[in-house]
Amino acid sequence: VQVADSGGGLVQAGGSLRLSCTASERPFSNIAMGWFRQFPGKEREFVAATSRLGTITYYSESTKGRFTISKHNDNNTLHLQMNHLKIEDTALYFCAARWANTGSVWQNPLDYGFWGQGTQVTVSS
């Protein structure tokens, strides 16, 4: 499965960005997906994830209420809408996918086998 993420950029604190991701798996509903981010010198950390049908979502405590993950199986895309961005959200963001045949959601990056190349999000003051 090939995964491609995009949409990062430079934004001022308090602003918004929407990240997008697509994967080559068909049907798209075969895969559960998530977003992770990585700070320089740190391990990847969980941001948000969704079940294969997009009906169940989980968020990290730091992003809950500000970020929204959405999976659109009809047009094979995953989005991460990021609002009220903070300087500490600056990181390299990765989209991840894994095969799924249940409604489970995974938060551990080790549970994902397919990764995008990453897209940089920089939040300035």
Side-chain angles (χ1 to χ4, degrees), residues 1-104:
V1 179
Q2 294 182 324
V3 178
D5 41 36
S6 62
L10 175 64
V11 64
Q12 285 193 318
S16 298
L17 272 179
R18 189 177 78 160
L19 305 183
S20 297
C21 179
T22 189
S24 60
E25 178 68 11
R26 297 294 183 272
F28 200 64
S29 57
N30 278 352
I31 54 175
M33 302 184 77
W35 288 97
F36 295 80
R37 64 188 181 186
Q38 190 166 19
F39 304 109
K42 298 290 184 66
E43 299 287 322
R44 269 175 214 188
E45 70 171 35
F46 172 71
V47 173
T50 184
S51 59
R52 66 182 189 94
L53 296 181
T55 53
I56 301 171
T57 57
Y58 286 168
Y59 297 90
S60 68
E61 285 302 314
S62 63
T63 63
K64 194 179 299 182
R66 298 188 299 124
F67 292 9
T68 301
I69 188 171
S70 58
K71 189 172 189 279
H72 306 275
N73 290 331
D74 53 349
N75 64 3
N76 306 314
T77 58
L78 177 79
H79 295 299
L80 182 69
Q81 178 66 41
M82 305 185 294
N83 298 328
H84 306 294
L85 282 161
K86 304 176 181 180
I87 293 174
E88 52 264 40
D89 292 318
T90 295
L92 186 60
Y93 284 70
F94 294 89
C95 175
R98 60 160 289 151
W99 286 308
N101 57 10
T102 68
S104 298

Side-chain angles (χ1 to χ4, degrees), residues 104-119:
S104 298
V105 180
W106 288 268
Q107 301 178 52
N108 189 329
L110 296 177
D111 289 324
Y112 289 85
F114 309 102
W115 292 84
Q117 75 283 359
T119 185

